[in-house]
């Protein structure tokens, strides 16, 4: 039987098609985009197939019909005309790192130099933007055709330097001037497509290119990058047959931009190659700047998994006012779970897309929240206790853990002072082990602070932080039982354990732990 060639890390459409790698057909989107308009912007997280889609666009506009045999663009009912070719200008910032304004200016000049050489036109002068304004009409004149501009990872120079705000702003302004030069070239352009991880506010990069249609949150294009469930079953069915498809989906599916959910292609391809559940995408690196932002402006992990926001938070990114939620969404650590409308305004419920991100991100946050070097030991003890359903031993695991955090850490770090700190630590430990963890779990009587579901048992948690005057009020366990939270899971068959926990901010530990069943 022929071996299935998996296109792991391959961003060349031509290589995939020439050498027989599996290709999930995204060409219907190309036809749709060209029919609907000319100027587009798409934001997607790293390693989601943006570069491959840009390269596919290049091949389509370059008239390489032989590469598209059997795909949507060459079907009898397709109106795509491969004889109508266009000169394609590609800008790709995915390779290399820009470390200064001179680096960026030099890179742009070299790109333009190559275009002038390729199309045999007279050398232009001035800034990169000025050169582009003069160059595109000349290329259109020489070739007698309208020009296509494709930009991949348009924002990478800025994102690589977020820890240097002054430099990031300088790079943003340079890129704004360059991209802004595209707008007055409309009469000479056939198609413009920009991709990146982030979308900057209207006062940022796109202020001079305000005719771009942003399709990031357009539900029709939710699966323009990534693999849908049907894609995986159709194209990789023989390989998937050896695995529990529901388990694989729970780990790698779940990314959504208000439409059909998708798998991260990098993840699922590596899983199919190695056959082991691992956080492949997450292991490729989490931006250090993200960790810094989360440490400086901490958010409750349970809150992040149930976040409600408007499009204004998701749709723009400002270097001098970075919102952690925006960064987490655009980087792929949060995704859209559902959309509701109140009048004309859309509201999005965000959450972790799948178990890979939830568990790996929680492990990362444990380091940020606690700086505790014994995390792996505690995780092993926690897993052992959860498998037995022993609530008293569970209390000892967490009590010992909080007691092990040095006083010096609390003195130097503000993280312990933010609301939700203790619940976030508990959440992070459970989620890091890959359990099904549900924050703000909805019942017909209210919301459970935290539900943890394992193979052997279901745990219902309610948390409280003791007030400074020592007033305890109603116990969290009493609230669980009064509102009958556990009833939601009684029919499951697994034992349900109710746990009410009170934390004391003075002793920085558990002051009360009550259990029921």
């Amino acid at each position: 039987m022929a071996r299935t060639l998996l296109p792991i890390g391959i961003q060349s459409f031509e290589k995939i098609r020439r050498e027989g790698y599996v290709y999930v057909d995204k060409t219907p989107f190309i036809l749709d985009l060209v029919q609907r308009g000319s100027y587009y912007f798409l934001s997607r997280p790293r390693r989601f197939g943006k570069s491959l889609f840009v390269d596919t666009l290049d091949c389509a506009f370059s008239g390489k019909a032989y590469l598209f045999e059997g795909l949507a663009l060459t079907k009898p009912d397709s109106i795509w005309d491969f004889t109508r070719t266009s000169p394609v200008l590609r800008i790709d910032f995915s390779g290399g790192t820009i470390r200064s304004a001179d680096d960026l200016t030099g890179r742009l000049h070299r790109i333009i130099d190559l275009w002038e050489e390729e199309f045999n036109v007279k050398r232009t002068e001035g800034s990169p933007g000025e050169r582009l304004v003069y160059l595109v009409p000349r290329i259109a004149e020489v070739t007698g055709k309208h020009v296509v501009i494709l930009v991949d990872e348009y924002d990478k120079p800025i994102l690589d330097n977020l820890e240097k705000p002054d430099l990031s702003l300088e790079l943003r302004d340079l890129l704004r001037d360059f991209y802004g030069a595209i707008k007055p070239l409309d009469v000479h352009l056939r198609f413009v497509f920009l991709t990146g991880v982030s979308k900057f506010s209207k006062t940022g990069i796109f202020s001079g290119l305000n005719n771009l249609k942003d399709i990031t949150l357009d539900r029709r294009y939710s699966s323009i990058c990534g693999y849908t469930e049907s894609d995986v079953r159709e194209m990789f069915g023989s390989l998937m047959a050896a695995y529990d498809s529901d388990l694989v989906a729970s780990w790698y599916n779940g990314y959504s931009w208000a439409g059909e959910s998708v798998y991260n292609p990098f993840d699922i391809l590596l899983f199919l190659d190695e056959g082991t559940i691992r956080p492949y995408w997450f292991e490729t690196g989490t931006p250090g700047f993200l960790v810094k932002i989360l440490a400086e402006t901490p958010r409750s992990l349970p809150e992040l998994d149930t976040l409600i926001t408007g499009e204004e938070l998701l749709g723009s990114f400002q270097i001098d006012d970075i919102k952690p939620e925006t960064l987490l969404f655009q980087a792929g650590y949060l995704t859209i779970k559902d959309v509701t409308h109140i009048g004309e305004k859309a509201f999005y419920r965000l959450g972790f897309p799948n178990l890979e991100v939830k568990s790996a991100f929680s492990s990362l946050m444990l380091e940020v929240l606690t700086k505790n070097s014994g995390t792996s030991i505690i995780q092993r003890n926690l897993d052992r206790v959860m498998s037995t359903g022993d609530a008293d031993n569970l209390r000892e695991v967490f009590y010992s853990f909080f007691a092990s955090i040095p006083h010096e850490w609390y003195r130097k770090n503000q993280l312990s002072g933010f609301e939700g700190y203790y619940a976030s630590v508990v959440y992070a430990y459970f989620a890091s082990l890959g359990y099904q963890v549900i924050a703000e779990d909805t019942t017909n009587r209210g919301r459970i602070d935290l539900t943890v579901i394992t193979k052997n048992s279901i745990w219902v948690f309610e948390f409280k932080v003791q007030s400074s005057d020592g007033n305890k009020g109603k116990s969290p366990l009493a609230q669980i039982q009064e509102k009958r939270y556990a009833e939601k899971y009684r029919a499951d068959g697994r034992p349900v354990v109710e746990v009410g926990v009170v934390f004391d901010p003075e002793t920085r530990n558990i002051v009360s732990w009550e259990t029921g069943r």
Side-chain angles (χ1 to χ4, degrees):
M1 187 173 68
R3 176 171 168 261
T4 302
L5 294 178
L6 302 173
I8 299 171
I10 301 177
Q11 300 174 357
S12 168
F13 176 72
E14 182 165 354
K15 179 174 182 177
I16 288 175
R17 299 295 288 168
R18 279 187 177 277
E19 299 183 13
Y21 288 90
V22 175
Y23 175 70
V24 173
D25 191 1
K26 298 295 181 180
T27 64
F29 290 108
I30 295 177
L31 185 60
D32 181 83
L33 290 171
V34 172
Q35 287 180 313
R36 292 179 183 273
S38 302
Y39 295 82
Y40 293 98
F41 168 75
L42 174 71
S43 169
R44 286 292 185 270
R46 58 191 169 87
R47 294 190 176 276
F48 247 88
K50 299 187 298 295
S51 297
L52 176 58
F53 187 75
V54 168
D55 195 62
T56 308
L57 283 168
D58 188 347
C59 292
F61 283 112
S62 298
K64 298 180 179 180
Y66 58 93
L67 297 176
F68 293 84
E69 292 180 6
L71 301 180
L73 286 194
T74 59
K75 289 183 178 178
D77 59 348
S78 172
I79 63 172
W80 188 268
D81 183 1
F82 281 99
T83 66
R84 186 193 171 195
T85 60
S86 296
V88 178
L89 305 183
R90 288 272 297 269
I91 303 168
D92 185 357
F93 286 116
S94 62
T97 303
I98 302 294
R99 293 301 184 193
S100 69
D102 288 342
D103 281 353
L104 177 57
T105 302
R107 173 82 71 88
L108 292 173
H109 279 306
R110 287 191 293 275
I111 290 171
I112 294 173
D113 289 343
L114 290 173
W115 291 339
E116 291 173 341
E117 181 180 340
E118 178 182 354
F119 294 101
N120 193 27
V121 298
K122 183 179 178 181
R123 178 176 172 80
T124 54
E125 301 293 339
S127 69
E130 290 171 330
R131 294 183 69 187
L132 187 66
V133 168
Y134 291 116
L135 176 61
V136 169
R138 291 182 181 180
I139 293 176
E141 181 181 3
V142 167
T143 62
K145 299 175 180 180
H146 288 79
V147 175
V148 170
I149 297 179
L150 306 176
V151 184
D152 192 16
E153 303 290 0
Y154 86 99
D155 54 349
K156 188 173 183 293
I158 300 172
L159 299 181
D160 284 346
N161 292 283
L162 281 179
E163 293 189 65
K164 302 173 183 176
D166 291 343
L167 175 58
S168 294
L169 289 168
E170 187 176 7
L171 297 175
R172 181 202 66 183
D173 291 343
L174 286 170
L175 288 172
R176 178 179 58 199
D177 292 344
F178 180 72
Y179 297 135
I182 295 173
K183 185 175 181 180
L185 298 171
D186 181 63
V187 68
H188 306 289
L189 297 174
R190 179 182 178 187
F191 190 80
V192 175
F193 192 83
L194 283 79
T195 76
V197 170
S198 60
K199 182 191 176 185
F200 289 85
S201 64
K202 293 185 182 297
T203 58
I205 286 182
F206 296 137
S207 59
L209 187 56
N210 55 13
N211 56 339
L212 281 177
K213 178 175 174 55
D214 182 4
I215 60 172
T216 300
L217 297 181
D218 189 326
R219 64 184 308 275
R220 295 170 298 182
Y221 304 105
S222 186
S223 61
I224 193 171
C225 293
Y227 298 158
T228 65
E229 184 66 47
S230 60
D231 289 335
V232 171
R233 293 181 185 277
E234 179 182 351
M235 305 303 295
F236 307 103
S238 59
L239 295 176
M240 283 292 293
Y243 307 105
D244 180 339
S245 60
D246 290 337
L247 175 63
V248 175
S250 70
W251 266 84
Y252 301 122
N253 198 353
Y255 297 93
S256 173
W257 287 268
E260 188 173 10
S261 69
V262 294
Y263 291 77
N264 179 316
F266 182 79
D267 260 335
I268 191 65
L269 290 174
L270 280 172
F271 167 74
L272 291 172
D273 181 57
E274 297 187 17
T276 303
I277 294 282
R278 277 179 47 200
Y280 298 102
W281 175 74
F282 203 93
E283 287 176 348
T284 61
T286 298
F289 190 75
L290 173 60
V291 177
K292 181 181 178 182
I293 288 291
L294 290 170
E296 291 176 348
T297 54
R299 296 295 301 266
S300 163
L301 278 179
E303 181 183 346
L304 286 178
D305 202 16
T306 56
L307 189 66
I308 305 294
T309 182
E311 188 169 340
E312 67 280 356
L313 185 65
L314 303 184
S316 66
F317 182 95
Q318 299 182 61
I319 294 170
D320 49 358
D321 184 22
I322 299 175
K323 299 290 191 296
E325 300 88 342
T326 304
L327 192 59
L328 287 167
F329 171 71
Q330 294 184 355
Y333 299 104
L334 295 178
T335 198
I336 295 173
K337 293 296 187 179
D338 59 52
V339 185
T340 57
H341 290 84
I342 300 178
E344 298 299 317
K345 187 174 178 60
F347 290 89
Y348 300 89
R349 182 173 66 86
L350 305 183
F352 298 115
N354 49 44
L355 284 177
E356 179 202 8
V357 176
K358 180 182 281 191
S359 62
F361 186 80
S362 296
S363 293
L364 173 69
M365 286 306 298
L366 279 173
E367 298 178 21
V368 176
L369 290 167
T370 70
K371 300 296 182 186
N372 193 300
S373 60
T375 296
S376 60
I377 296 174
I378 296 168
Q379 287 172 317
R380 288 198 298 271
N381 290 338
L382 184 61
D383 188 52
R384 174 180 52 78
V385 169
M386 293 296 283
S387 66
T388 64
D390 191 328
D392 292 332
N393 279 336
L394 180 62
R395 184 242 183 219
E396 290 306 312
V397 170
F398 278 114
Y399 189 89
S400 298
F401 160 69
F402 283 113
S404 71
I405 300 177
H407 175 77
E408 188 74 2
W409 182 89
Y410 288 103
R411 188 177 69 81
K412 291 183 176 181
N413 202 303
Q414 296 301 312
L415 287 170
S416 61
F418 85 91
E419 187 177 355
Y421 170 76
Y422 299 99
S424 290
V425 172
V426 174
Y427 176 102
Y429 266 113
F430 286 132
S432 70
L433 290 168
Y435 296 140
Q436 183 181 353
V437 181
I438 308 169
E440 295 294 317
D441 190 7
T442 303
T443 75
N444 61 355
R445 301 294 299 274
R447 294 179 182 273
I448 306 167
D449 279 351
L450 196 69
T451 301
V452 181
I453 301 176
T454 74
K455 292 180 180 179
N456 305 315
S457 55
I458 299 172
W459 301 70
V460 175
F461 290 89
E462 194 71 22
F463 302 110
K464 183 178 179 181
V465 176
Q466 186 168 281
S467 61
S468 58
D469 61 5
N471 182 19
K472 296 181 180 180
K474 183 182 295 183
S475 76
L477 179 63
Q479 180 174 329
I480 292 173
Q481 296 177 337
E482 180 181 299
K483 296 196 173 184
R484 301 198 291 274
Y485 286 154
E487 286 186 0
K488 178 177 180 177
Y489 296 101
R490 293 296 185 195
D492 178 89
R494 283 170 285 188
V496 180
V497 185
E498 304 164 321
V499 184
V501 187
V502 180
F503 296 100
D504 184 349
E506 294 297 322
T507 63
R508 304 182 182 92
N509 214 323
I510 297 167
V511 69
S512 172
W513 179 285
E514 298 179 294
T515 62
R517 291 180 183 269

